Amino acid sequence: MAMPEKASCTKPREDFGHFPEIIELNVGGQMYITRYITLVSVPGSLLWEMFSENNPCSLTQDNKGRFFVDRDGFLFRYVLDYMRDRKLVLPDYFPECGRLQREAEYFKLPELVKMLAPKINKVKSFGNDLCQSDVEELSTNTDLTYNISSSNNIQVSGPDNTPALTVNTGSDLKKAGFITIGYRGSYTLGRDSQADAKFRRVARIMVCGKTSLAKEVFGDTLNESRDPDRPPERYTSRYYLKFTFLEQAFDKLADAGFHMVACNSSGTCTITHDQADDKIWTSYTEYVFCRE
């Protein structure tokens, strides 16, 4: 007896041309899974142009068959959110509005570009007005005058032209705080001789502390990919460095006025094989730096 055909709970494949209903994307190394209708929801956009083609083979794919887009993978999340419901929702103190606007221009989303414009202007005006507002607060209800010198100092004088206060607004005024450097390493030690130890460095130096301090000290050598939206005055333990030498990290901290105040280390040991005496030692060390 012939068995009845199994009913399909998904839409027919023909509704999406040669594309599946669920699309996997590789955007700059970050993986996204979304629906086909989301990618073609904005007519005229770059994604609409890409996925309106009938031949998926015409698009670049990675080694796992995911469609590849060579753009910022972390900012793409906001592009995709906008394409889902036409709304822009960003974290508080979002520092990358300018870069996100550039991504919106690349993906041909003019409405998203317009939404980002006032946010960019707000960030710029906040930065320009910060020092000025501080000086105005100092001179409230007081007959004071101030001069900005070439050394980025504001000299505030009283009504009789006597010096009253000097405010440093330049880069010489550095915030106090702590930064912790974490480092994990392991090595295999045989029973015969310690000279046969095989040491392996794990290529990752972790950075913990206030976001603004970490960015000030390490600059472009700081990898923020694991915590990209952290506001400047918040703390994080997910940053790590793009280089693998502790001494290089120590030099940067010393140049920024930090000094080490504490350190600690722990280690564990495991047997590599039942028939051998080789042992793997794993250590984790933290170094605490302070700037007063």
Side-chain angles (χ1 to χ4, degrees):
M1 185 176 75
M3 297 295 293
E5 294 184 2
K6 185 178 180 180
S8 175
C9 61
T10 59
K11 292 184 179 181
R13 191 179 182 89
E14 299 86 75
D15 291 353
F16 309 101
H18 293 282
F19 289 94
E21 181 182 1
I22 304 301
I23 302 291
E24 293 189 34
L25 297 174
N26 177 349
V27 184
Q30 298 299 310
M31 309 309 161
Y32 291 89
I33 300 178
T34 188
R35 300 181 66 190
Y36 173 83
I37 58 176
T38 300
L39 297 178
V40 296
S41 62
V42 182
S45 67
L46 179 63
L47 292 172
W48 177 85
E49 294 176 357
M50 292 171 58
F51 289 93
S52 293
E53 299 289 338
N54 291 324
N55 184 13
C57 295
S58 63
L59 301 178
T60 303
Q61 296 179 330
D62 64 12
N63 56 3
K64 294 187 178 180
R66 293 172 294 216
F67 297 108
F68 179 75
V69 183
D70 190 15
R71 299 300 295 181
D72 191 311
F74 294 98
L75 293 179
F76 184 74
R77 73 179 74 175
Y78 305 110
V79 174
L80 194 58
D81 283 345
Y82 167 78
M83 297 186 70
R84 290 185 178 119
D85 52 21
R86 301 297 192 281
K87 294 181 181 180
L88 176 63
V89 180
L90 299 176
D92 294 335
Y93 309 105
F94 184 69
E96 301 192 76
C97 289
R99 293 182 60 188
L100 181 56
Q101 188 181 59
R102 185 175 61 186
E103 296 300 302
E105 293 171 349
Y106 175 82
F107 286 105
K108 300 181 181 180
L109 299 170
E111 293 301 320
L112 180 57
V113 174
K114 292 180 182 178
M115 291 179 182
L116 286 164
K119 296 182 179 294
I120 296 174
N121 294 333
K122 183 178 180 180
V123 171
K124 289 181 179 179
S125 62
F126 176 79
N128 293 335
D129 294 342
L130 182 61
C131 293
Q132 180 67 24
S133 62
D134 291 342
V135 175
E136 291 174 353
E137 183 177 354
L138 287 172
S139 59
T140 303
N141 299 324
T142 308
D143 186 13
L144 300 179
T145 61
Y146 54 89
N147 297 312
I148 302 179
S149 66
S150 57
S151 60
N152 292 322
N153 291 330
I154 298 179
Q155 182 70 47
V156 184
S157 302
D160 56 352
N161 205 29
T162 58
L165 181 64
T166 300
V167 181
N168 188 326
T169 64
S171 58
D172 292 338
L173 187 62
K174 297 180 179 180
K175 294 183 178 180
F178 291 85
I179 289 180
T180 301
I181 299 296
Y183 183 77
R184 190 183 303 276
S186 66
Y187 60 90
T188 302
L189 185 63
R191 63 176 180 176
D192 296 332
S193 173
Q194 291 187 0
D196 295 333
K198 300 176 181 178
F199 185 78
R200 178 177 64 87
R201 285 190 173 185
V202 177
R204 181 164 294 183
I205 300 175
M206 306 300 299
V207 178
C208 309
K210 185 176 288 188
T211 301
S212 57
L213 286 179
K215 290 182 178 181
E216 175 200 334
V217 173
F218 297 107
D220 294 338
T221 63
L222 186 70
N223 193 319
E224 309 168 38
S225 60
R226 296 177 63 205
D227 200 359
D229 303 325
R230 181 68 58 177
E233 297 306 310
R234 299 291 297 274
Y235 291 84
T236 181
S237 61
R238 298 177 61 84
Y239 288 169
Y240 61 94
L241 300 179
K242 297 178 181 179
F243 53 82
T244 59
F245 295 99
L246 277 174
E247 294 79 8
Q248 190 173 349
F250 294 166
D251 286 343
K252 287 184 174 294
L253 286 160
D255 291 341
F258 284 81
H259 63 278
M260 187 186 300
V261 294
C263 70
N264 69 288
S265 182
S266 62
T268 58
C269 175
T270 59
I271 304 297
T272 59
H273 194 276
D274 294 339
Q275 306 300 325
D277 292 334
D278 290 351
K279 298 179 181 180
I280 296 179
W281 287 87
T282 301
S283 65
Y284 180 74
T285 306
E286 286 186 338
Y287 305 89
V288 182
F289 289 81
C290 174
R291 185 170 67 190
E292 299 176 354

